[in-house]
Amino acid sequence: MISRYDSLMARVTSTFIAPAIQVYAFYVIAHGHYSPGGGFQGGVMLAASTVLLRFVLGSEEGYRRFPPRRAALFGALGVLCFALIGTVPLLRGGAFLDYGMLPIVGAGEALRRYIGILLVEVSIGFAVWGSLVVIFDALTAPGNGADEGGRS
Amino acid sequence: MRWVVLLVVGLACGLLATAAMELPRKGDPGSPASVGVAAAYTARAMAETKTPNIVTAVLADYRGYDTMGESFVVFSAALACLLILVPPAISARGRREDAARAGRGGAAARGGGREA
């Protein structure tokens, strides 16, 4: 259980910065084809923005903005989407994770691979986002020592 | 004892140093890492995946199976943390019941109630 950080300046600044971090994180995920970055990096940034809000606004407000259940859901959905995207080509006679066999109308094989990479990167981003927030919530859950002693 | 440790550490350092002498130079196109499948990836990635960033093409497409395993690892780490560090069920009722059963006293139960 984290209590609210006792500084108005830090709270206001972090509430303004967190959405910017998230927008940049989605840019990092979506722009992974052209620049360094991708699902893992963007997912870590998304998790960092969520954790920042939890640290600064406290667990109560942080949980209201991004519930712990949603974190678990995002993590599971990201991994599931990755596996499903890999399975779809298998059903159409291709190899596992062969994005060239994805059923996308009006796209050549190279473009299908391009879209497949994008879908997979987004799934990874959500999986990493959810997983890291779940880890953070588990570490700061009430009753496992985080609320006894220390500043919070 | 200290001399034995120093001897072992020194021998290990010497071994590593002699091994480092044999390493290929940085960016050497003839190094073992660059003569295998890497040449084919760098030559064909743009045509096959329309992705200028070859690292992304290798990570998500050519080595997609590996990346899927990585995301599984991250997710299972999260699951392990959830199961080990937060023993009671996620619901507040389950947390209170389990805390009472484990006899951990009022702190955990009160914490659970406060969060709910």
Side-chain angles (χ1 to χ4, degrees):
Chain A
M1 203 71 187
I2 302 168
S3 57
R4 209 167 65 143
Y5 190 73
D6 194 19
S7 159
L8 180 70
M9 203 73 85
R11 288 205 300 273
V12 172
T13 313
S14 304
T15 4
F16 273 108
I17 284 180
I21 295 177
Q22 285 168 353
V23 169
Y24 188 64
F26 278 116
Y27 163 79
V28 166
I29 293 177
H31 214 249
H33 289 78
Y34 303 100
S35 62
F40 286 101
Q41 293 87 341
V44 167
M45 289 170 70
L46 287 167
S49 71
T50 311
V51 168
L52 175 72
L53 286 184
R54 288 204 169 161
F55 261 129
V56 171
L57 299 177
S59 289
E60 219 162 286
E61 175 71 12
Y63 285 178
R64 203 177 61 73
R65 294 195 181 208
F66 192 87
R69 273 165 177 259
R70 191 185 297 166
L73 185 74
F74 277 3
L77 273 184
V79 170
L80 185 70
C81 281
F82 200 152
L84 283 182
I85 291 167
T87 316
V88 169
L90 203 61
L91 298 177
R92 302 184 76 239
F96 188 57
L97 286 168
D98 182 8
Y99 310 136
M101 297 292 282
L102 284 176
I104 301 165
V105 274
E109 195 184 334
L111 187 58
R112 282 202 291 263
R113 288 187 186 280
Y114 179 93
I115 297 172
I117 291 176
L118 181 64
L119 292 175
V120 160
E121 295 276 10
V122 172
S123 322
I124 296 171
F126 274 87
V128 171
W129 183 10
S131 300
L132 291 187
V133 174
V134 161
I135 292 176
F136 181 81
D137 286 344
L139 288 173
T140 58
N144 65 5
D147 48 350
E148 293 133 24
R151 191 195 59 79
S152 62
Chain B
M1 191 60 198
R2 164 172 296 187
W3 294 109
V4 175
V5 170
L6 273 179
L7 186 70
V8 170
V9 170
L11 280 178
C13 282
L15 193 67
L16 288 178
T18 40
M21 293 294 178
E22 303 287 318
L23 283 177
R25 285 193 310 119
K26 204 175 206 173
D28 183 8
S31 66
S34 307
V35 294
V37 78
Y41 286 167
T42 42
R44 285 160 44 188
M46 188 61 193
E48 283 184 350
T49 64
K50 286 194 172 187
T51 306
N53 188 355
I54 297 168
V55 176
T56 301
V58 172
L59 185 88
D61 197 337
Y62 295 114
R63 292 278 182 259
Y65 207 79
D66 192 1
T67 310
M68 194 180 74
E70 278 176 43
S71 65
F72 282 1
V73 165
V74 172
F75 184 60
S76 26
L79 281 188
C81 279
L82 201 62
L83 293 175
I84 293 171
L85 297 174
V86 193
I90 295 187
S91 76
R93 198 162 56 95
R95 188 178 293 139
R96 268 197 300 278
E97 281 171 2
D98 282 26
R101 202 179 308 135
R104 277 194 297 158
R110 251 186 287 118
R114 196 168 55 213
E115 194 213 4

